[in-house]
Amino acid sequence: MDMIIKFFQNNTIARICLDAYLVLLIVSLLVFLALKIKKVLVLSIIGLLIGLFNWLAQTLDLPISKEVYSFFFASYFLSCVVIAAPEIWKIMDAKSEKNRFELSSTQSTKTAIVEAVFHMSQMKVGALITIEHHNTLDEYAKRAIQMNSDISKELLEQIFIKDSPLHDGGVIIRGNKIVCAGAYYTLTQDESLDKTMGSRHRAGVGISEVTDSLTIIVSEETGAVHVAITGMMIAMDTKEKLLDYISSFIGR
Amino acid sequence: MKVILVFIEAITSPFSLLMRHTNNSNNKLARWANSLVVLFLAALIVLGLVLYYYFDFIFKR
């Protein structure tokens, strides 16, 4: 241990490399959080400004600013950790890589989904089907009714029949399996959404805002089919359009 | 040789952990959080700090 300490004390280049490496670890974590979470980016910019004004106050020896800004600067980092903690925890908890085989769906699965959706659209049966991508939907699935069933047109239609105990909430699909039914999502707060869109549409948009999943929504009132992805809602007029969309989404 | 490989793996493991988390994004800003972009920006900041604090040593040796 003494040898290592002496080595770094006598060798400035080694000391610079070690110093740079240690700082790089923490700075890359901060840059990653700042780019991934908007809140952290905003907090970082505010922190830099407070740091700048603090330095200005210290350099120009401004007594009031010096006291105020040094107080804020000292407690700022801890406050940021408390404010951004829920988002940071969500990132640490999320499974970042899903087995690509598990996520991919066969052509028969995609066809079954499309056929079921358009049949339910004709019958004006409301439906909410979420296809998982990289972001895990386990936190929604664990509170829902577990199924782990193979996908078929008939099963999907049966789930959403009005008096079925499974019809309330959404279905989560992972690869070629129905993971669960009766999954509830947080509704979107987006006020630009058409007022005629009900809670089913709002739930579909809501889940697409917080994950990279694709949600198919069938309206109970009009039978219209929409797809919600990254907070946007896109109308699907034909089976071919929906099939292309699902194929390119799963292929990503 | 094994010791060297273990050492290299140990010093690069925080960055490989970071890279595994940077690509599952669902909004425009988060898509920028690509691992190379993160490391490049971090390296720029660290380079600036090293030049600031070790200026005398680097340029007046």
Side-chain angles (χ1 to χ4, degrees):
Chain A
M1 190 65 190
D2 286 335
M3 261 177 62
I4 297 170
I5 293 169
K6 271 201 182 119
F7 171 74
F8 282 107
Q9 278 173 345
N10 299 332
N11 194 332
T12 314
I13 292 174
R15 221 169 55 240
I16 294 174
C17 291
L18 181 64
D19 202 3
Y21 175 75
L22 293 174
V23 173
L24 186 67
L25 286 178
I26 199 78
V27 168
S28 38
L29 180 65
L30 288 172
V31 169
F32 163 69
L33 288 173
L35 291 180
K36 202 149 176 91
I37 309 169
K38 245 183 236 179
K39 213 187 262 186
V40 173
L41 181 63
V42 171
L43 290 171
S44 307
I45 293 169
I46 294 171
L48 281 169
L49 286 172
I50 292 177
L52 179 67
F53 296 146
N54 182 47
W55 172 80
L56 208 63
Q58 302 289 340
T59 310
L60 301 176
D61 200 23
L62 310 170
I64 306 170
S65 304
K66 230 166 49 174
E67 285 302 313
V68 170
Y69 278 100
S70 61
F71 169 75
F72 270 107
F73 196 60
S75 52
Y76 189 72
F77 180 71
L78 196 60
S79 321
C80 289
V81 171
V82 170
I83 293 167
E87 280 87 358
I88 295 170
W89 192 250
K90 214 188 276 181
I91 290 173
M92 284 166 66
D93 214 17
K95 286 180 196 160
S96 57
E97 278 295 322
K98 282 224 150 263
N99 187 327
R100 282 229 71 89
F101 181 73
E102 199 181 291
L103 288 178
S104 67
S105 299
T106 60
Q107 190 59 32
S108 60
T109 293
K110 294 175 211 168
T111 310
I113 295 170
V114 171
E115 292 293 331
V117 163
F118 277 88
H119 190 232
M120 287 189 283
S121 163
Q122 268 176 358
M123 310 295 285
K124 295 216 178 120
V125 171
L128 185 66
I129 300 168
T130 302
I131 303 174
E132 189 185 71
H133 201 54
H134 293 297
N135 296 157
T136 180
L137 298 178
D138 281 345
E139 102 183 62
Y140 303 97
K142 66 187 176 198
R143 293 188 294 243
I145 300 158
Q146 304 302 308
M147 292 184 68
N148 198 30
S149 323
D150 289 334
I151 296 172
S152 68
K153 172 182 173 284
E154 292 77 15
L155 180 57
L156 280 171
E157 288 175 20
Q158 189 65 31
I159 288 169
F160 288 109
I161 282 177
K162 259 192 192 99
D163 297 321
S164 160
L166 303 173
H167 86 282
D168 220 6
V171 152
I172 295 176
I173 288 174
R174 181 182 295 155
N176 294 309
K177 293 281 188 188
I178 296 176
V179 175
C180 66
Y184 291 98
Y185 311 136
T186 311
L187 306 189
T188 179
Q189 300 301 309
D190 186 359
E191 288 172 22
S192 64
L193 213 58
D194 195 337
K195 296 287 183 271
T196 59
M197 300 291 177
S199 54
R200 187 176 281 114
H201 291 82
R202 290 191 169 275
V205 175
I207 190 68
S208 74
E209 283 173 345
V210 296
T211 65
D212 63 352
S213 58
L214 178 141
T215 303
I216 305 166
I217 309 151
V218 182
S219 168
E220 196 173 359
E221 287 81 26
T222 63
V225 177
H226 287 87
V227 148
I229 188 163
T230 62
M232 295 184 304
M233 212 156 59
I234 304 158
M236 294 284 136
D237 309 319
T238 62
K239 285 184 191 177
E240 292 72 31
K241 190 174 175 183
L242 181 60
L243 187 63
D244 283 342
Y245 215 89
I246 294 173
S247 300
S248 61
F249 171 76
I250 289 167
R252 273 199 291 141
Chain B
M1 187 63 186
K2 260 190 189 168
V3 173
I4 296 169
L5 287 174
V6 166
F7 179 70
I8 292 171
E9 205 176 306
I11 59 173
T12 58
S13 60
F15 301 106
S16 63
L17 189 72
L18 195 69
M19 282 178 202
R20 259 187 273 137
H21 278 85
T22 53
N23 289 313
N24 56 332
S25 52
N26 62 326
N27 68 57
K28 270 186 201 162
L29 188 64
R31 264 181 224 124
W32 279 93
N34 172 276
S35 50
L36 285 175
V37 173
V38 170
L39 286 174
F40 178 70
L41 290 173
L44 270 181
I45 294 168
V46 169
L47 185 67
L49 289 169
V50 164
L51 286 173
Y52 178 74
Y53 282 101
Y54 290 100
F55 187 85
D56 287 341
F57 175 77
I58 295 169
F59 293 106
K60 293 176 183 175
R61 260 198 312 165

